[in-house]
Amino acid sequence: MKKQQLILHKTESGNYRSVIKTKHGRLIYLEIREGKNSLSVINCFYLDRIRSGSGEYYSSPQKLVTREFSYNEMLDVIASELDRKYFGVEITDKFADLTNDEFIELQLKAMQRKYNFLIFVAEGELIDGIPSVIKTRFKNRIHRGIYLEMQYRNGKGVITDCHYYDRKYKERSKVVPEMLSSVFFEYNRQAILHIVNNELNTAFNHIIFVTDGSLDIDNEIALCGNI
């Protein structure tokens, strides 16, 4: 296996930035400023954890306690405090003219150039190639377990059930993910992916329907998603 290097992208202001995927699958944005004798972390936050309602990213990983270090210490800090081992550094001025939001979007799209299947247990008649009842369990990008059930009714798709299943709550038996706002939608693959990715915090790019009874939806095991 090829030993991977940390790619630092230089910004127009002279800082360096990168998107890091940790060995446990978390995505982190890191921005560093170069001083006279040291490097300083000026921005570091998870890209797969967003505050409810505001759309803002959460603050830096709690294990990151070293925010100033020498160039030679940088990879050791990233390995021990950001959960990712690199074997060298590559510096490039490519994408220097992009804003941080544009840079992050570009890096995330590049990381998603692979199949990431959203798997549904399905039954019923086909509506433009989609069974009329579809159910799934998945882990989202912050590793929450979510049960989702959708059906086709009166010309529209309807979310009939959506709740966290990985925790027990005293006050309510079912807690709906706070970012879910859709109830009715166009019953097609694109609309389904849009809801699941944007409102339930996932990054699926293809859908598979399983209709042969080989998957047990009542078993509380995620069928897909980040593990």
Side-chain angles (χ1 to χ4, degrees):
M1 182 180 294
K2 183 179 179 181
K3 293 184 177 181
Q4 292 191 325
Q5 292 188 314
L6 172 66
I7 301 177
L8 293 178
H9 295 265
K10 197 167 186 177
T11 69
E12 289 187 329
S13 63
N15 295 334
Y16 299 93
R17 58 189 174 183
S18 184
V19 172
I20 296 171
K21 186 173 184 179
T22 74
K23 64 182 180 181
H24 289 93
R26 303 300 304 276
L27 296 175
I28 295 173
Y29 174 80
L30 176 67
E31 187 171 350
I32 297 171
R33 176 182 294 140
E34 186 175 20
K36 184 176 181 181
N37 298 310
S38 64
L39 301 173
S40 300
V41 175
I42 62 170
N43 228 337
C44 183
F45 48 81
Y46 286 117
L47 293 173
D48 52 4
R49 182 171 293 179
I50 300 175
R51 292 186 187 277
S52 303
S54 70
E56 298 176 352
Y57 294 112
Y58 276 92
S59 57
S60 63
Q62 292 184 354
K63 287 187 177 181
L64 179 65
V65 294
T66 307
R67 290 183 167 268
E68 187 171 339
F69 39 81
S70 69
Y71 183 88
N72 292 333
E73 295 171 326
M74 176 172 59
L75 295 184
D76 289 334
V77 171
I78 292 174
S80 62
E81 300 183 17
L82 294 182
D83 191 32
R84 179 59 192 267
K85 177 71 173 178
Y86 290 103
F87 294 89
V89 179
E90 178 183 339
I91 296 177
T92 175
D93 58 3
K94 192 176 182 181
F95 313 130
D97 59 332
L98 298 182
T99 66
N100 279 351
D101 288 340
E102 291 170 339
F103 174 78
I104 290 170
E105 182 179 3
L106 183 68
Q107 294 298 302
L108 293 181
K109 285 183 177 179
M111 289 181 173
Q112 293 170 2
R113 288 175 185 167
K114 62 179 182 179
Y115 289 113
N116 192 6
F117 290 110
L118 174 59
I119 303 171
F120 282 100
V121 174
E123 59 186 52
E125 64 176 322
L126 294 180
I127 312 298
D128 293 330
I130 303 176
S132 58
V133 179
I134 55 178
K135 308 173 185 179
T136 188
R137 293 180 187 271
F138 59 86
K139 290 287 186 72
N140 70 7
R141 292 193 293 187
I142 59 172
H143 307 285
R144 293 302 310 271
I146 296 174
Y147 174 87
L148 174 65
E149 181 177 327
M150 298 174 163
Q151 296 186 20
Y152 179 80
R153 294 179 180 175
N154 301 320
K156 288 284 187 179
V158 183
I159 297 178
T160 53
D161 193 358
C162 183
H163 64 270
Y164 293 121
Y165 70 88
D166 57 347
R167 297 181 189 173
K168 302 300 181 183
Y169 296 88
K170 294 181 180 179
E171 297 180 359
R172 291 173 288 173
S173 59
K174 293 183 179 180
V175 173
V176 178
E178 57 276 10
M179 292 181 65
L180 180 68
S181 59
S182 298
V183 177
F184 302 98
F185 57 93
E186 296 297 323
Y187 204 65
N188 56 55
R189 283 175 168 81
Q190 183 177 358
I192 292 170
L193 282 174
H194 179 80
I195 290 172
V196 176
N197 285 338
N198 290 276
E199 299 184 23
L200 298 178
N201 196 11
T202 66
F204 297 109
N205 52 33
H206 288 76
I207 296 177
I208 293 178
F209 301 109
V210 178
T211 59
D212 61 3
S214 60
L215 297 178
D216 181 8
I217 195 64
D218 293 324
N219 191 332
E220 293 189 352
I221 298 177
L223 302 180
C224 48
N226 293 333
I227 304 299

